[in-house]
């Protein structure tokens, strides 16, 4: 006879005065946290918050990620952050069940490998445009480089060749919108959201910013629909939706989703690019491997080693050190009864630093991923399951293509100033000193 499920009440529970220790699970060195004394599962119930289960039992983690029907990632984000107001409740991450399956099917093709190949030139173009503006032989904040590259690639790949005047307006509107999201005012609104039970206060500058971006995107969509050839020779992402079988949204909905993709991709990519440069600057032996492959002109070796560097960087410095889900109904996970409304926290960084999964886990050793691709169950930078990051392959290809184009012309070296400890950025981590490195000619 099967055992009845275990109740959350039977698990260790963090006392309120221990809550601050949760911060130790989002900084590198998680395995030094005293919270590990609780075992692989423990419960947190801060006053005014739903019950939260933190689990790094890998069977729990697998089951929660795979369960599309009983858990929601969007509801977790709405409860703890202002994401629903920023992205819009109709975008992928906030949809569930069949609605999510349908939309995900419609939005996936431009992110699959055949399409990705066709974006490579659009990515290289951005490096060719930006690289001559970077100083040589003196410190440069590579995080800023990461932001410039990320937005350049996104505008190129999502929208492609837009009439210059409209392109300028789009760039400006996106800049203003990002400005509103990053403003102190909106940060305060975001910090208040969990305290207000998941209600995000209205923030008019954000609404104005979004409306301005949508207006330009809608104008571009309308222009393409009206074009006599329907834009059939274009390689950009928007062209892969308009006038195709995937074109099942009205202009406003298509625009909202393009805006959501832009936002989901921007900061995550920029910070990751900053981390890759930081890791290369801090590990001259890894840089030397790449130098040797580049000097030998050995394309496949460069690509294989760069893929490994990217995977290892994302293991040690995942942009989101945790993700999670909220239970939509009473359910059971790996023999544990999870009541409706419970938040399940899946601590990505803690899992990535587990010595049973990654020997010498704190060492930066790209060789781990030279002969083996990252394992989808234990390498969780992009989450897992049906809501796994739609842009995961895109982001991996992009990081390789951009760094190959950069390293073919520049070496990356440590600048004066520490590379650690990382700077706290909302619930994530960003490189110390904005990834200060020195670029040298090759
Ligand atoms: C290094 C860069 C990136 C990181 C670390 C990252 C990380 C993530 C994570 C952790 C999730 C939630 C997954 C889960 O909880 O299971 C997610 C979802 C998502 N990401 Fe990314 N992301 C990155 C880049 C991108 C890019 C480049 C795009 C698009 C071009 C993108 C679009 C999305 C979308 C649309 C979702 C929602 C998917 C769904 O709900 O079905 N992301 N991402």
């Amino acid at each position: 006879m099967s055992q009845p499920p275990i109740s959350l009440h039977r698990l260790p529970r963090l006392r309120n005065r221990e809550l601050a220790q949760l911060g130790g699970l989002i900084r590198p060195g998680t395995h030094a946290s005293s919270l590990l004394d609780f075992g692989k599962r423990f419960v947190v119930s801060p006053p005014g918050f739903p019950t939260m289960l933190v689990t790094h039992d890998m069977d729990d983690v697998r089951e929660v990620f795979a369960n599309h029907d009983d858990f929601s990632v969007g509801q977790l984000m709405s409860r703890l952050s202002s994401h629903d107001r920023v992205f819009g409740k109709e975008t992928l991450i906030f949809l569930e069940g069949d609605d999510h399956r349908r939309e995900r099917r419609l939005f996936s093709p431009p992110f699959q490998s055949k399409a990705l190949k066709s974006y490579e030139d659009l990515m290289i173009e951005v490096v060719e445009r930006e690289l001559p503006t970077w100083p040589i032989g003196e410190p440069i904040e590579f995080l800023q480089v990461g932001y410039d590259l990320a937005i350049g690639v996104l505008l190129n790949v999502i929208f492609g060749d837009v009439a210059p005047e409209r392109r300028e307006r789009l760039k400006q509107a996106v800049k203003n919108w990002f400005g509103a999201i990053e403003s102190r005012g909106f940060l305060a609104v975001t910090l208040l959201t969990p305290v207000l039970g998941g209600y995000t206060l209205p923030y008019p500058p954000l609404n104005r910013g979004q409306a301005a971006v949508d207006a330009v995107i809608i104008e571009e969509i309308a222009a393409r629909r009206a074009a006599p050839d329907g834009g059939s020779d274009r390689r950009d992402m928007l062209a892969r939706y308009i006038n195709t079988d995937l074109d099942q949204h009205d202009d406003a909905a298509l625009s909202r989703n393009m805006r959501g993709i832009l936002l989901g991709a921007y900061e995550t990519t920029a910070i990751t690019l900053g981390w890759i440069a930081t890791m290369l600057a801090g590990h001259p032996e890894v840089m030397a491997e790449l130098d040797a492959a580049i000097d030998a002109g050995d394309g496949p070796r460069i690509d294989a080693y760069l893929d490994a560097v990217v995977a290892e960087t994302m293991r040690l410095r995942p942009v989101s050190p945790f993700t999670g889900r909220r239970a939509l109904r009473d359910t059971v996970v790996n023999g544990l009864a999870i009541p409706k409304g419970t938040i399940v926290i899946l601590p990505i960084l803690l899992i990535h630093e587990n010595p049973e999964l990654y020997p010498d886990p704190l060492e930066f050793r790209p060789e781990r991923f030279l002969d083996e691709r990252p394992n989808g169950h234990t390498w969780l930078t992009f989450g897992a399951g049906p809501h796994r990051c739609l842009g995961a392959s895109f982001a991996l290809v992009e990081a390789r293509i951009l760094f190959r184009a950069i390293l073919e012309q520049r070496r990356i070296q440590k600048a004066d100033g520490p590379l650690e400890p990382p700077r706290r950025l909302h619930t994530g981590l960003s490189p110390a000193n904005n990834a200060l490195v020195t670029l040298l000619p090759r």
Side-chain angles (χ1 to χ4, degrees):
M1 219 172 67
S2 65
Q3 301 279 325
I6 303 170
S7 153
L8 290 186
H9 297 295
R10 305 260 311 271
L11 297 184
R13 186 169 290 258
L14 220 68
R15 282 168 294 210
N16 285 345
R17 64 173 190 276
E18 293 166 323
L19 289 175
Q21 295 184 29
L22 285 170
L25 298 188
I26 61 172
R27 281 191 298 271
T30 50
H31 276 262
S33 166
S34 58
L35 297 182
L36 267 67
D37 297 344
F38 286 118
K40 301 228 166 192
R41 295 162 157 176
F42 60 88
V43 171
V44 191
S45 39
F49 280 78
T51 301
M52 300 191 208
L53 163 71
V54 179
T55 177
H56 51 116
D57 174 305
M58 292 312 291
D59 291 326
D60 294 358
V61 172
R62 238 187 311 271
E63 277 196 29
V64 171
F65 270 131
N67 187 329
H68 202 185
D69 295 316
D70 297 338
F71 289 105
S72 157
V73 56
Q75 284 207 10
L76 166 94
M77 294 187 163
S78 316
R79 181 61 186 79
L80 299 184
S81 175
S82 55
H83 277 65
D84 52 351
R85 203 175 283 280
V86 180
F87 282 91
K89 281 196 170 139
E90 311 84 354
T91 51
L92 264 185
I93 203 141
F94 292 96
L95 300 178
E96 279 129 32
D98 287 342
D99 288 344
H100 177 259
R101 286 185 192 93
R102 193 191 54 247
E103 288 292 285
R104 179 107 184 178
R105 236 188 343 265
L106 287 176
F107 281 105
S108 291
F111 292 91
Q112 287 159 356
S113 42
K114 202 165 138 225
L116 292 182
K117 193 91 202 111
S118 71
Y119 306 142
E120 291 186 5
D121 290 347
L122 298 171
M123 294 175 177
I124 293 171
E125 258 175 36
V126 180
V127 174
E128 284 171 354
R129 195 173 64 222
E130 297 286 328
L131 186 134
T133 67
W134 306 335
I136 297 181
E138 51 186 89
I140 175 170
E141 293 187 349
F142 205 91
L143 187 61
Q144 188 52 52
V145 168
Y147 278 107
D148 294 342
L149 291 175
I151 193 64
V153 167
L154 283 167
L155 292 177
N156 252 16
V157 170
I158 300 183
F159 301 103
D161 202 7
V162 174
E165 184 272 335
R166 190 177 298 139
R167 187 182 172 89
E168 236 0 86
R169 274 192 291 127
L170 177 62
K171 257 171 85 177
Q172 197 50 48
V174 168
K175 196 169 159 222
N176 294 345
W177 170 49
F178 285 150
I181 295 171
E182 286 157 10
S183 67
R184 279 169 186 273
F186 193 64
L187 178 63
V189 166
T190 301
L191 292 174
L192 273 175
T193 299
V195 184
L196 298 177
Y199 174 69
T200 301
L201 293 166
Y203 190 68
L206 178 74
N207 297 358
R208 282 197 294 274
Q210 285 172 343
V213 174
D214 282 348
V216 191
I217 300 180
I218 289 172
E219 197 182 304
E220 174 66 15
I221 294 173
R224 293 203 194 182
R225 289 202 196 285
D229 65 352
S232 53
D233 58 340
R234 306 180 65 117
R235 283 170 300 156
D236 58 80
M237 224 173 239
L238 196 54
R240 288 171 195 273
Y241 295 115
I242 292 180
N243 298 338
T244 72
D245 295 348
L246 307 177
D247 197 357
Q248 297 185 23
H249 299 89
D250 63 30
D251 295 3
L254 184 55
S255 162
R256 246 192 336 262
N257 279 290
M258 292 299 107
R259 175 161 55 70
I261 287 172
L262 201 61
L263 184 63
Y266 174 56
E267 187 156 66
T268 48
T269 304
I271 293 177
T272 300
L273 297 176
W275 276 122
I276 296 169
T278 302
M279 290 307 201
L280 290 178
H283 296 86
E285 70 292 355
V286 172
M287 197 56 237
E289 280 287 335
L290 283 169
D291 282 340
I294 291 167
D295 291 344
D298 186 343
R301 194 167 132 215
I302 304 171
D303 286 352
Y305 202 72
L306 265 178
D307 280 342
V309 165
V310 171
E312 180 68 340
T313 302
M314 289 188 177
R315 179 183 73 83
L316 285 172
R317 299 292 184 268
V319 171
S320 306
F322 67 90
T323 184
R325 302 290 187 261
R326 188 162 192 201
L328 293 168
R329 51 188 69 84
D330 291 349
T331 183
V332 175
V333 164
N334 189 26
L336 195 60
I338 312 275
K340 176 179 174 181
T342 306
I343 284 177
V344 182
I345 299 287
L346 306 166
I348 295 174
L349 183 59
L350 180 64
I351 294 166
H352 285 184
E353 292 187 346
N354 180 347
E356 289 165 19
L357 303 175
Y358 297 99
D360 301 321
L362 298 189
E363 280 186 26
F364 181 70
R365 207 190 285 158
E367 286 70 17
R368 300 176 202 273
F369 296 114
L370 259 190
D371 298 319
E372 245 175 88
R373 288 160 64 89
N375 173 325
H377 293 303
T378 59
W379 187 88
L380 298 168
T381 299
F382 294 109
H387 277 281
R388 183 174 191 262
C389 176
L390 181 71
S393 304
F394 181 96
L396 292 170
V397 167
E398 178 181 12
R400 181 202 335 120
I401 297 290
L402 296 183
F403 270 91
R404 190 177 65 196
I406 294 168
L407 294 174
E408 278 168 356
Q409 300 194 53
R410 299 283 183 269
R411 290 171 204 274
I412 297 183
Q413 222 180 43
K414 190 177 168 313
D416 281 345
L419 291 168
E420 301 281 347
R423 191 166 58 86
R424 180 89 182 267
L425 184 79
H426 311 300
T427 53
L429 297 171
S430 179
N433 288 318
N434 293 335
L436 199 67
V437 300
T438 303
L439 300 176
L440 298 175
R442 179 168 290 284

